[in-house]
Structures are given as C-alpha cells and as structure tokens.
Amino acid sequence: MAVNSPLPIAADLKPVAGIEIGYAEAGIKKPNRKDVLVMKLAPTATVAGVFTLNRFCAAPVQISKAHLAAASANSGASGKPIAALLVNTGNANAGTGELGLSLANETCAALAAQLGVDAAQILPFSTGVILEPLPAAKVIAGLPQAIAGLKADNWYNAAEAIMTTDTQPKAGSRTVTIGGHTVTMTGISKGAGMIKPNMATMLGYLAFDAKVAQPVLDQLVKHAADHSFNCITIDGDTSTNDSFMLIATGAGALEITSVEQPEYAQLRDAVTELSLFLAQAIVRDGEGATKFMSIIVEEGANVEECRKIAYSIGHSPLVKTAFFASDPNLGRILAAIGYAGVDDLDVSKLNLYLDDVWVAKNGGRNPDYKEEDGQRIMKQSEITVRVKLARGAATATVYTCDLSHDYVSINADYRS
Amino acid sequence: MAVNSPLPIAADLKPVAGIEIGYAEAGIKKPNRKDVLVMKLAPTATVAGVFTLNRFCAAPVQISKAHLAAASANSGASGKPIAALLVNTGNANAGTGELGLSLANETCAALAAQLGVDAAQILPFSTGVILEPLPAAKVIAGLPQAIAGLKADNWYNAAEAIMTTDTQPKAGSRTVTIGGHTVTMTGISKGAGMIKPNMATMLGYLAFDAKVAQPVLDQLVKHAADHSFNCITIDGDTSTNDSFMLIATGAGALEITSVEQPEYAQLRDAVTELSLFLAQAIVRDGEGATKFMSIIVEEGANVEECRKIAYSIGHSPLVKTAFFASDPNLGRILAAIGYAGVDDLDVSKLNLYLDDVWVAKNGGRNPDYKEEDGQRIMKQSEITVRVKLARGAATATVYTCDLSHDYVSINADYRS
C-alpha cells in the first residue's frame, strides 16, 4: 500500500555500462525468493559509500568500510579496486560478534574466488533479522546461480532481490547530458521499517557510467546522502545495516577529476535528485504508510535546530496517528516542536502551516484558522507541514509517513 | 486494559488533614463527566512542584510557576501561601498565546473570589486538547458546585476528575511513622498518552500532613520526580502541561525544617515510593498497553548515558511492537542501544538479559541462549530488560509499555 509510489517498469530501468547484475534464490529465510544479489563492476569503477552510525553496526558494514577504505587509498595507484558488491536479505548479520565477521568474510572469499579477485575487493551487505547467525553456506551456495546470470539489463531483479518488508521494488533511471556527454544512471533502494538513517538509510545503490576520481566521489556521496537518505524517517529506528553506495563505473565518456570542474555540479545535482527519489520511495512504502508528509522547518538560526524540530515532529507517534486518522489535531505538532530540545525557542513568534493553511500564528491558534480547512488538507495523501521559527535563515526538510494499524501488525508479525 | 494495575478502592484512600477536595461536572468537552477539580489547602500548607520543559508549555503551567515562585519567596514571611489548586480536563489551554493566559487568569480570579483569597494564591492546571481556546466560562460555572462539595474524604473522586484517556483512576495512600509521628499521605495521577516527561509527567498530586519548610519541599519534589515521573515513557511525547505537585499541609505533628534533620530521609523515601507507585500506574494504564517493562541499564560511565540507552529502548516502536507480539526479536533491542547516541560505546563488552535469561553476551548472541527461553519471558505481562555496559558503576531505570493496535486506535480517534 505504498503512497503514490509508481511501480518501476523493468523496461524503463536503463543498464549502466560497466556494471553487471545477477541474483539467486538461496532460501536464506524463505524459499522461492530472490535473496542474494551480486553486482560486478568494471575495473575502471570507483565506489564511495556512507554507512550507519549505529554502534551495533553489522559485520558486513564493518567489512565493507574496511574494504572500501583500502580500495580508496589505492585509488589511482596500482591497487586493486572494488570488483563486486554482494547483498543478502533474510539475515542482517548484526549483533553477531566475532562469528558474524568470520561468516561475512567467508562469503566474500567465496565470491572473490569465483570472480578471480581478492576477498578485499568485495563489499558485503546484509539486511534482515538481527542477532541470528548468518547462514553463510546458503549464501555461498547461491553464488554460482547469481554469477551465471550476470547481465547489464537486470536492475528490476536487483531491486526485487533486496526487498524485505517492502511491498514493492524501488528503482529509477535518469539520463543526463553533462559537458556534451550522455550519462546514464540507475539506482535501487529498499527499506520500510527501522528507518531513521543517521547517515543514509537501509540499502541504496546508485550507479552511473561516468569516470569519477575517488576524492570527488567521496564528496559526492556525502552530498547526495545528506540531501536524500539523511532526510527521511519512518519510525525513528536507525538500523544496524544502513548503507548507501555510489558507483561510478568509468565506462562512459564523461570524466571528472575535481569538484572544481564545471561538470561536477551538474552531476552532483542529477545524482542527488535520483537519490532523493529513491529515498522518498522508501517513505512512500513505509510500513503501513497511508500518508506521505514533507516537514519543512524554515527561518531557523541553524540547520541543526531545524532538523531537530523536523525530526521531533516526524517521530511523534501522536502526530503520526493524527495524520493516519486525517484528524487536524494540530496542537500535537506544537507539542512536538516544544520538546524538540531547542532550549531558547521563543514560541510566541512561531507560525505553522499545513500546505497553504495558516494554522498557528505567533504561537497561538490563528484567529482566521478554520477547522474545515485543516480537515481538507488532512484528508490528502500528501501533506506539507511548514514551521517558521523567525530566528534566522536556515532550513531543513524531513520526509516521513503516518503511523497506522498496519505498522503494528507488520512489526508484531515480522519474524513469523 | 491496564497492566496489573489494581483499581484503587475509595475506602483505602486516606484523607490528609489540611486539604479538602471538591469537583464539578462542567461539560467542558463532554457532559456528565467530572472535569473540574478544586483542592483547597490549609493556610499552613507549603507547595512545591516540577513542570514540563516543553517550550510550548501551557498557559496554566506558566501561571502556576509564577504563582508558586511568588508564594515560595514569601514562605515564612507574612506573604500569602498557595490556597487552592484548580484542575480542568477536556482542554489543555496550550498553544493558545495571550488569550490562553488571560482565560486561565480569569478562572483563578473566579475561584479566588469565592474562597476569599488572592488570584495569585491559586495554581491552575489543564489537560486535554491543545490549540483550542479554554472554555473558561464553563470552568467558572462549575466552581460553586466544586466548592459546595469540598471535603477531606474525596480523593477517589479527585482521581476520577483528572482522567482523560485513562481507563481507570490512579491513586494510593500510605501511612508512615517518622520521628514518632504518624504521617498520612495520599496521591493521585493521570496520563496515558503523550508521556515522556522531561521533568514530571502529566498530572500528579501528592499531599501529606507534615509541616515542611519551603526549601526542603523544593528539594523533596525534585528527588521524588527524578525517581518516579521522570523515569517513565509511553510514546516519547512530552506534554505541554505536565505537572507534579507536592503538598505538605502542615496539619500534622511532624515538622521538618532542614534536609539535615534525620526525619527528612524517611519522609523523602516514603514520598518517593508513593510517587513511583503513581508514576508506574500511568505506564500500566498506558494507551493500549498490554505489557509493563522495566528497562534497567547498569555498569554505565554515568547516569546520563544509562538514561539515553534506556529511553532509546523504551521509545523504539520496533522494540515495543515486538513486546506486544510476545516475539523475542531481541536484536531490535541491540539496534536501539546502538543508536542511543553513546558514541564511544564498545558493544563487544555489552550483555543483555531478559529477566533471568542471558540473551546477548559480549555483544553477540549468547551461545547458550535458547529461543524458547526468550519466548517464555516475552509471554509474561511484566518483563525486565537489563543491559550491562561494562563501563562503570552508574545505573538508570525507565518504565514503559508496549505499542499495540489499541494505541493507534485511541490516538487516531482521540478527538471524536
């Protein structure tokens, strides 16, 4: 029951030169389900990523960070670049201690052997249940099927292979012309619960066929994540496994070696736009979601306080259930603003809007506000909450969804 | 559907000499419902309180703080002490700006006139819907009925008169002997949603018949709140109206003038115990609650980090839905610990217990942990989650409940 989220059409997802994709049904948690994904990269590719800040970060996250750091350090030298990404669903390999690291390393070694590269050239990712040992043997048994099926035109299957409680695959493609060169980019994402990225959220992969120097890509991935995956929340739970990876395959004609190059800004904006599309798709498919809300906090003294307030509104179960009920019980938004932790906030200057309806004026009810106007907006499936702080010029936006009966059902039944 | 919360029995609630209680059915939100409460104090009484830290603190909270500060400053001098408390349900008078202050002042003035005291000797309190004007005329119209009914033996009705979404009244009495004197104490509380006190929670009133100097009572209320109302959470929403008031009527024989006096510690512990009982009663009656959880974080470097982790667990919708489902999906607890914001937490030393079951050992699954043991505990209606950080000797406890379908139903339908 995703909110206004168009199902991707396989034919619309464009292959990106320099990356091939294969998958397997390995029976990790359930049979007859795509649950292992291999993305094989051209030797020209550079990769950059951002990962969860959860202290219980999963074994594969720890390993991917280490492998990525080693490959990045070698970038431009004779070092060995990242050769493939390996993703499994059905098990997060988190909260698994030393055993978890050793099992994740085993899967890397197995894939590396079959691709003729080093284990350190593999980036592993996992998503699923926490605190249970990774069935590494099942992952490894699925690799030959995934490798045999490697092909460029396989993004739809990739989007399906990383789904867990998602109700639909999430993917998009863009073609942009930058500096006279055509750049093709395709991305996928997954995630529907345990979503309050403290960096990126859940799993997101975006590849394009330009050649981008490692330091430039490192900067680009941070910019894209900060303006997309880092602006969403479903339930305020930051996962142990969140990862967002940006892959520049280097197979196309565009080459960017510095952020000062005029083409950089164009590429950055195109990548960020697609990243935001993928991030919003996660919210639209949030567990039990029936509404999509953009929470915009403006006129803040700094971005940090705007984000605090936007997240405080976006996390409030009372605000989220009111949206679910289409009930303009908007005082709950004021309460959430009030406890956001901005200690010197002068609420007597604050204004609150619901789409174009001015609800609260100078901290109190706007005398011209009519209940039926609030009711009209609350019935929509997409709603913008706008808070004006009258403290400065900073702004922040957070995307979230409502809290419904289905969220409780989905999460009460998740493992069964 | 409160969790193991015995309904108070009117006959068990002991009158406290020096305080009389009256109520009215004023039809503030709905007819035929006790919604106005007056508590009239003896001139010997001292009062101390703690209030919400929400920046959108309600008009009555602002006024009560000012009146209390004035009365406290006058304590011991010829000043005028607090004469009465006035509580209404059905409307929070929050997010109401200047108009809200003026309407709350009107109700104080009306009660003061009828009691022959100054308006500044009245403490007003409100709970209910935010962002709607207080129907002050209805409150005022209810005052004669409340005043006519003033009597000492009226605590059960008081507990009922402050209920909103509560399914049952919350009250308790204790009799303790301190320094050879019998002290009688009775308290009431209310609250079932928007509960994550940033000080005290919702409304709590506790009176006893000792005579206590103002500075001592100020210290006592803070201690009692920090060990009771400040340790509970239902949904992480801090209300605009939270207030906890401690009333020493001065009508009994015990007199405490200094915290150094040996009797102080005894009184403090008795008051704190009853406060904790009243605070836990709020969690047991949490909106939709089916489980009562004590989250104990031990071996922390300081109390602050223990509280961060305990609240992170207690607020996680994923943890709360797992408890609702009696599903030992305990990796969710690790995830919540990991994103609690303790940046240098070494999870490889962390241990997690569910009652007596050792679930996670040194950051990974305890090899001896069996799913059926976790399952056995999860089926209970009262569960202790114990986290050992191996960082020091600090500890903190938070009490919370699960997140059920009924929470969503109650909050989606609250105003209808």
Side-chain angles (χ1 to χ4, degrees):
Chain A
M1 294 207 309
V3 184
N4 302 333
S5 183
L7 210 65
I9 296 164
D12 290 344
L13 297 176
K14 298 183 175 61
V16 176
I19 181 165
E20 289 183 325
I21 294 164
Y23 66 87
E25 295 182 354
I28 293 174
K29 187 174 162 195
K30 291 181 180 167
N32 307 319
R33 187 170 169 157
K34 296 165 191 157
D35 52 11
V36 166
L37 174 70
V38 172
M39 291 188 274
K40 182 169 175 273
L41 311 185
T44 48
T46 44
V47 181
V50 281
F51 298 91
T52 182
L53 295 180
N54 193 306
R55 293 296 306 166
F56 260 104
C57 79
V61 169
Q62 296 175 50
I63 293 170
S64 279
K65 284 164 90 167
H67 288 185
L68 200 53
S72 302
N74 285 332
S75 159
S78 60
K80 294 179 172 175
I82 298 302
L85 287 69
L86 169 60
V87 192
N88 74 270
T89 65
N91 184 296
N93 196 5
T96 47
E98 286 299 322
L99 177 65
L101 288 169
S102 137
L103 290 171
N105 276 323
E106 277 180 33
T107 64
C108 291
L111 178 57
Q114 292 176 60
L115 296 180
V117 300
D118 292 349
Q121 293 176 266
I122 309 295
L123 301 182
F125 303 88
S126 299
T127 175
V129 178
I130 300 169
L131 203 62
E132 294 186 8
L134 179 73
K138 288 184 180 176
V139 176
I140 292 168
L143 293 178
Q145 183 193 346
I147 292 168
L150 283 169
K151 58 176 179 171
D153 194 6
N154 222 357
W155 282 98
Y156 191 90
N157 285 317
E160 286 192 330
I162 62 174
M163 289 168 63
T164 55
T165 56
D166 308 63
T167 68
Q168 62 171 64
K170 300 165 185 67
S173 284
R174 300 287 187 273
T175 306
V176 287
T177 304
I178 298 176
H181 303 293
T182 298
V183 177
T184 302
M185 53 182 71
T186 298
I188 57 175
S189 62
K190 67 80 53 181
M194 199 178 272
I195 301 281
K196 193 265 169 168
N198 201 349
M199 144 264 103
T201 182
M202 308 310 293
L203 301 182
Y205 302 94
L206 195 161
F208 56 88
D209 54 5
K211 188 173 177 66
V212 178
Q214 188 69 44
V216 177
L217 199 65
D218 290 343
Q219 196 159 329
L220 179 53
V221 73
K222 190 172 176 329
H223 180 93
D226 280 347
H227 292 80
S228 59
F229 294 96
N230 276 351
C231 301
I232 66 173
T233 183
I234 289 175
D235 49 17
D237 277 271
T238 301
S239 159
T240 50
N241 292 57
D242 294 344
S243 307
F244 171 53
M245 308 303 297
L246 203 53
I247 301 159
T249 66
L254 179 66
E255 179 165 1
I256 297 185
T257 54
S258 154
V259 294
E260 308 299 331
Q261 208 173 314
E263 293 85 355
Y264 172 72
Q266 285 174 269
L267 180 67
R268 181 198 63 202
D269 292 348
V271 165
T272 302
E273 187 277 325
L274 180 54
S275 300
L276 182 58
F277 172 84
L278 294 169
Q280 289 185 342
I282 288 176
V283 176
R284 291 179 187 284
D285 196 22
E287 288 169 349
T290 73
K291 300 263 170 91
F292 178 85
M293 282 110 73
S294 302
I295 301 168
I296 304 174
V297 179
E298 298 175 342
E299 302 178 358
N302 53 61
V303 171
E304 182 55 32
E305 70 179 30
C306 293
R307 283 176 69 86
K308 265 191 190 173
I309 289 174
Y311 272 120
S312 188
I313 298 169
H315 288 157
S316 162
L318 289 170
V319 170
K320 291 161 93 79
T321 47
F323 277 93
F324 169 57
S326 301
D327 177 9
N329 192 343
L330 303 172
R332 291 176 177 179
I333 297 177
L334 298 190
I337 294 168
Y339 66 70
V342 180
D343 291 338
D344 61 349
L345 183 67
D346 178 358
V347 300
S348 75
K349 294 183 177 163
L350 187 144
N351 292 290
L352 170 70
Y353 299 79
L354 213 59
D355 277 18
D356 58 333
V357 174
W358 193 351
V359 177
K361 186 174 179 175
N362 298 330
R365 187 187 176 105
N366 175 6
D368 297 332
Y369 169 69
K370 291 186 198 69
E371 177 92 2
E372 57 261 37
D373 291 333
Q375 185 64 69
R376 172 173 53 82
I377 306 296
M378 289 299 273
K379 281 184 179 159
Q380 298 169 182
S381 60
E382 307 227 357
I383 297 168
T384 298
V385 175
R386 189 180 304 270
V387 180
K388 298 195 177 197
L389 302 177
R391 289 163 62 87
T395 181
T397 302
V398 162
Y399 305 95
T400 192
C401 57
D402 56 339
L403 173 60
S404 71
H405 284 293
D406 283 351
Y407 178 89
V408 176
S409 297
I410 290 164
N411 285 297
D413 303 341
Y414 179 53
R415 298 204 314 172
S416 54
Chain B
M1 293 205 311
V3 185
N4 302 333
S5 182
L7 210 64
I9 297 165
D12 290 345
L13 298 176
K14 297 183 175 62
V16 177
I19 181 165
E20 288 183 325
I21 295 164
Y23 65 87
E25 296 182 354
I28 293 176
K29 186 175 164 194
K30 290 180 179 169
N32 307 317
R33 187 170 169 158
K34 295 165 191 157
D35 51 12
V36 166
L37 175 69
V38 171
M39 291 188 273
K40 181 169 175 275
L41 311 185
T44 46
T46 44
V47 181
V50 280
F51 298 91
T52 183
L53 296 180
N54 193 308
R55 293 296 305 166
F56 260 104
C57 79
V61 169
Q62 296 175 50
I63 293 170
S64 278
K65 285 164 90 167
H67 288 186
L68 201 53
S72 302
N74 285 332
S75 159
S78 59
K80 294 178 173 176
I82 298 302
L85 287 69
L86 169 60
V87 191
N88 75 269
T89 65
N91 185 295
N93 196 5
T96 46
E98 287 300 322
L99 177 66
L101 287 168
S102 137
L103 290 171
N105 276 324
E106 278 180 33
T107 64
C108 290
L111 179 57
Q114 293 176 59
L115 296 181
V117 301
D118 293 350
Q121 292 177 267
I122 308 295
L123 300 181
F125 303 88
S126 298
T127 175
V129 179
I130 301 170
L131 202 62
E132 295 185 7
L134 178 73
K138 288 185 181 177
V139 176
I140 292 168
L143 293 178
Q145 183 193 348
I147 292 168
L150 282 169
K151 58 176 179 171
D153 194 7
N154 222 357
W155 283 97
Y156 191 90
N157 285 317
E160 286 191 330
I162 61 173
M163 288 169 63
T164 55
T165 55
D166 308 64
T167 68
Q168 62 170 61
K170 300 167 184 68
S173 284
R174 302 285 187 273
T175 306
V176 287
T177 305
I178 299 176
H181 303 292
T182 298
V183 176
T184 301
M185 53 182 71
T186 297
I188 58 174
S189 62
K190 65 82 50 182
M194 200 178 272
I195 301 281
K196 193 265 171 170
N198 201 349
M199 148 259 101
T201 181
M202 307 312 293
L203 301 182
Y205 303 93
L206 195 161
F208 55 89
D209 56 3
K211 187 173 178 67
V212 178
Q214 189 69 44
V216 177
L217 199 65
D218 290 343
Q219 195 159 331
L220 179 52
V221 74
K222 189 170 178 330
H223 180 93
D226 281 348
H227 292 80
S228 60
F229 294 96
N230 276 351
C231 301
I232 66 173
T233 183
I234 289 175
D235 49 19
D237 278 271
T238 301
S239 160
T240 50
N241 294 56
D242 294 344
S243 307
F244 171 51
M245 308 305 297
L246 203 53
I247 301 159
T249 67
L254 179 65
E255 179 166 0
I256 297 185
T257 55
S258 154
V259 295
E260 307 300 330
Q261 207 173 315
E263 293 87 355
Y264 172 72
Q266 284 174 270
L267 179 66
R268 180 196 65 202
D269 292 348
V271 166
T272 302
E273 187 277 325
L274 180 53
S275 300
L276 182 59
F277 172 83
L278 294 170
Q280 289 185 343
I282 288 177
V283 176
R284 291 179 187 283
D285 196 21
E287 288 170 346
T290 73
K291 301 264 169 90
F292 179 85
M293 283 111 72
S294 303
I295 301 169
I296 304 173
V297 178
E298 298 175 342
E299 301 178 0
N302 52 62
V303 171
E304 183 54 32
E305 70 178 31
C306 294
R307 283 176 68 87
K308 267 190 188 175
I309 289 173
Y311 272 119
S312 188
I313 298 168
H315 288 157
S316 162
L318 289 170
V319 169
K320 290 162 94 80
T321 47
F323 276 92
F324 169 57
S326 300
D327 177 9
N329 192 344
L330 303 172
R332 292 176 176 179
I333 298 177
L334 297 190
I337 294 168
Y339 67 70
V342 180
D343 291 338
D344 61 348
L345 182 67
D346 179 358
V347 300
S348 74
K349 292 182 177 165
L350 186 144
N351 292 290
L352 171 70
Y353 300 78
L354 212 59
D355 277 17
D356 59 333
V357 174
W358 193 351
V359 177
K361 187 174 179 176
N362 297 330
R365 188 186 176 105
N366 175 7
D368 296 332
Y369 170 69
K370 292 187 197 69
E371 177 91 1
E372 58 261 38
D373 292 332
Q375 186 65 68
R376 172 172 54 81
I377 306 296
M378 289 299 272
K379 282 184 177 158
Q380 297 169 183
S381 59
E382 306 227 359
I383 298 169
T384 298
V385 175
R386 188 179 304 269
V387 180
K388 298 195 177 199
L389 301 177
R391 289 162 62 87
T395 181
T397 302
V398 162
Y399 305 95
T400 191
C401 56
D402 55 340
L403 172 60
S404 71
H405 285 292
D406 283 351
Y407 178 88
V408 176
S409 298
I410 292 164
N411 284 297
D413 304 339
Y414 179 53
R415 298 204 312 172
S416 53

